[in-house]
Amino acid sequence: MDSIVQPGADQRAGLRSWLGLAVLALPTLLLSVDITVLFLALPNLSADLGASGTEQLWIIDIYGFMIAGMLVTMGSLGDRIGRRRLLLIGGTAFGLLSILVAFSTSPEMLIIARALLGIAGATIMPSALALIMNMFPDPKQQGTAIAVFISCFMGGAAVGPVVGGAMLTNFWWGSVFLLNVPIMLLLVITGPILLPESRDPEGGRLDLVSVVLSLAAVLPVIYGLKQLASHGWALVPVLVLAAGIAFGVIFVHRQHTRPDPLLDLKLFKSPAFSGAVAIMTLGSVMMAGVSMFFTLFLQLVKGYNPLQAGLWMVISAVTMVLGSMIAPRLTQRLRPAVVLAGGLTISAAGFFMLTTIGADTGIAVPIIGVAVVSTGAGIFATLTTGLVMTAAPPEKAGAAAGLSETGGELGVALGIAVIGSVGTAVYTALLVVPDGVPTQVADTARENITGAATASHGLPADLGAALLGNAQTAFTSALNAVSGVSAGVAILLIAVALVALRKAPPTGAATPEPAATETPEKATTSVTAE
């Protein structure tokens, strides 16, 4: 017998649902840990496997590429075959593939294993978010559950370097990936007990042509943006980017003509949905550029090693979680537009703080600035996720979750490419190369601060110190510039929030807990819980 979860029903979640949330949150934390921990493991695994520079880039990038490319497909697939079912299949695959990654014996084997791991990882976020919407129908509890879930995902990015550093100090590089195995085993064992199944009984068949088109759109766009960020403007990345956009246009046209589209574009008719996706995407743009520059600032200007830099970033992770947790409480009394605008204002204030620092500024001001930015980011990341999920009909929850996460991935790639290019241009323009530095060394130093730091070691001590000092000053000015651009984006998004979301009401207080009901008759809603 299936218990029917009626949309809008006055139901408060019990202990089983909260335990289920914990089961969903832990794998999500691991997804973001896996994205960041590889940066620490890369030197050891490259030496062990003999990976070339190109192979190292693919080892790092392929995981994120495949997650981004498969999110929409996996969200839509979960709507059709069952979100819990897809989550358990993906969790099982993720655990097994983590073992394969850990014991890879060649760069090619590792790249393939990481690609498959990304496909498995793409099943987790959309399925988990869709299940949360079904497990927590009460608006107050739903907001808190989403906040907890998003906090785990965001916190994992900060925890990754710390956990990775500790593991690599005592074990071999593959150990960082074996952490996934017990967590996924816990998911597979407890998921059938704690997580209710939900699906769209009228979802139709999966359109494989649309799946291919979505991959052909997302992967080239992200790849092209990353190549432009890394190597500057060149013909091949531009052509790849243009090809991705062209396939995106074809994909959109097909969704308009299909009776059962992979992605229901009617979702964008809701101002709350389209506004939240826009804020999520552009919010990722402004965060990604500054995050990249600030991490390098800690290591190459302030002189911290990766583990020390990761420990400093834990502070901003904590404030991000705090912002995430207070957001749903604020929206019980205030309109989401107001709360979002407030969060973006907080982030803008933090960005402005970062525009004032110099290379010789103490560590306190930069860390406080990033912590303020992260507080606002926690607010808008949680609220935009909630708005996307609540604006979509329950039967499209998986597809909506996949789309929102894809927007975030595209925003990160766009932020690194566009805002990163601004920072690189400022650095190159302001770097003063001391007299006596060979032309080839000077050209390397002008590319980025990493090149300057490496080049300085091959010069006489005084000349190397002068070059590195000038590079640190120029790079700090670049950080000031990207922070100013990000502050401008935040101000633009404040206007978007106040206009696009002006009609979205407060979530209100939680409703009383009614008696649970079970209905044997045919479902009157498109979501069932088994």
Side-chain angles (χ1 to χ4, degrees):
M1 181 182 297
D2 291 347
S3 62
I4 306 306
V5 181
Q6 300 289 353
D10 293 335
Q11 294 182 343
R12 285 178 56 81
L15 177 61
R16 177 185 171 188
S17 294
W18 292 107
L19 291 174
L21 176 63
V23 170
L24 292 173
L26 284 175
T28 304
L29 185 146
L30 282 179
L31 283 183
S32 53
V33 167
D34 261 37
I35 293 173
T36 57
V37 76
L38 189 64
F39 290 103
L40 289 180
L42 190 62
N44 292 338
L45 71 85
S46 297
D48 188 19
L49 302 179
S52 66
T54 301
E55 288 170 336
Q56 290 179 38
L57 290 176
W58 278 109
I59 289 169
I60 291 173
D61 290 338
I62 193 65
Y63 176 76
F65 283 170
M66 297 312 297
I67 284 184
M70 294 301 294
L71 279 168
V72 170
T73 295
M74 291 304 180
S76 183
L77 181 62
D79 289 340
R80 287 165 165 80
I81 71 170
R83 289 91 181 227
R84 184 183 70 183
R85 181 182 179 186
L86 182 63
L87 178 68
L88 296 179
I89 293 172
T92 301
F94 198 92
L96 295 174
L97 289 166
S98 296
I99 298 174
L100 185 63
V101 169
F103 292 100
S104 293
T105 56
S106 69
E108 294 82 6
M109 179 179 176
L110 182 57
I111 291 169
I112 293 172
R114 290 272 295 171
L116 296 174
L117 193 69
I119 295 173
T123 67
I124 294 175
M125 283 290 286
S127 299
L129 269 173
L131 286 170
I132 287 173
M133 298 302 292
N134 193 53
M135 291 160 59
F136 297 92
D138 177 77
K140 179 180 178 181
Q141 291 186 323
Q142 191 177 89
T144 301
I146 291 175
V148 171
F149 183 79
I150 296 299
S151 296
C152 286
F153 182 72
M154 294 187 297
V159 172
V162 179
V163 173
M167 295 291 290
L168 292 170
T169 301
N170 299 285
F171 306 102
W172 101 109
W173 62 265
S175 63
V176 297
F177 300 104
L178 293 181
L179 288 172
N180 300 334
V181 177
I183 300 300
M184 293 304 169
L185 183 61
L186 176 67
L187 170 66
V188 172
I189 292 173
T190 60
I193 301 170
L194 298 174
L195 303 176
E197 181 60 287
S198 67
R199 66 170 64 90
D200 178 5
E202 299 179 357
R205 298 179 62 183
L206 190 68
D207 179 21
L208 295 180
V209 174
S210 292
V211 171
V212 173
L213 287 173
S214 70
L215 284 171
V218 174
L219 293 182
V221 167
I222 292 181
Y223 175 80
L225 290 172
K226 287 180 73 70
Q227 290 298 304
L228 291 174
S230 300
H231 306 295
W233 289 94
L235 180 60
V236 172
V238 170
L239 290 177
V240 171
L241 181 62
I245 294 173
F247 279 115
V249 172
I250 298 171
F251 173 80
V252 169
H253 175 72
R254 185 172 179 84
Q255 304 318 294
H256 279 301
T257 59
R258 293 285 300 178
D260 51 349
L262 181 70
L263 177 62
D264 188 357
L265 299 178
K266 294 177 183 177
L267 293 171
F268 285 97
K269 292 183 178 180
S270 164
F273 183 90
S274 55
V277 170
I279 293 170
M280 181 178 297
T281 303
L282 292 177
S284 298
V285 169
M286 70 181 187
M287 293 296 297
V290 169
S291 296
M292 179 183 69
F293 271 76
F294 192 76
T295 302
L296 291 172
F297 172 81
L298 290 178
Q299 296 181 65
L300 297 177
V301 177
K302 291 304 178 182
Y304 296 112
N305 63 39
L307 179 57
Q308 291 170 328
L311 289 171
W312 277 117
M313 293 303 292
V314 168
I315 296 173
S316 62
V318 171
T319 62
M320 187 176 289
V321 170
L322 290 175
S324 179
M325 296 307 297
I326 66 173
R329 293 184 176 274
L330 293 174
T331 55
Q332 292 171 32
R333 288 184 167 82
L334 302 172
R335 289 183 177 273
V338 175
V339 180
L340 267 175
L344 290 163
T345 301
I346 293 171
S347 288
F351 287 131
F352 280 123
M353 287 184 67
L354 294 177
T355 65
T356 66
I357 64 175
D360 57 351
T361 302
I363 192 62
V365 174
I367 291 299
I368 292 172
V370 170
V372 173
V373 168
S374 299
T375 303
I379 293 174
F380 72 72
T382 298
L383 288 189
T384 51
T385 301
L387 285 166
V388 166
M389 297 306 296
T390 54
E395 66 271 16
K396 302 296 182 184
L403 179 63
S404 68
E405 294 301 321
T406 302
E409 294 287 341
L410 289 173
V412 169
L414 189 62
I416 292 174
V418 176
I419 297 183
S421 296
V422 171
T424 300
V426 171
Y427 167 81
T428 301
L430 296 182
L431 176 62
V432 177
V433 178
D435 293 336
V437 175
T439 302
Q440 186 175 0
V441 174
D443 291 341
T444 300
R446 288 191 182 95
E447 289 181 3
N448 51 56
I449 190 173
T450 304
T454 302
S456 67
H457 295 314
L459 298 173
D462 291 344
L463 190 59
L467 175 62
L468 182 59
N470 291 351
Q472 290 172 335
T473 299
F475 186 81
T476 305
S477 297
L479 175 60
N480 299 152
V482 299
S483 299
V485 173
S486 294
V489 175
I491 292 172
L492 171 65
L493 292 181
I494 291 171
V496 173
L498 292 175
V499 173
L501 305 174
R502 65 187 184 278
K503 295 182 179 180
T507 56
T511 51
E513 182 176 2
T517 60
E518 289 191 343
T519 308
E521 292 81 18
K522 184 178 178 180
T524 57
T525 176
S526 57
V527 179
T528 62
E530 292 180 358

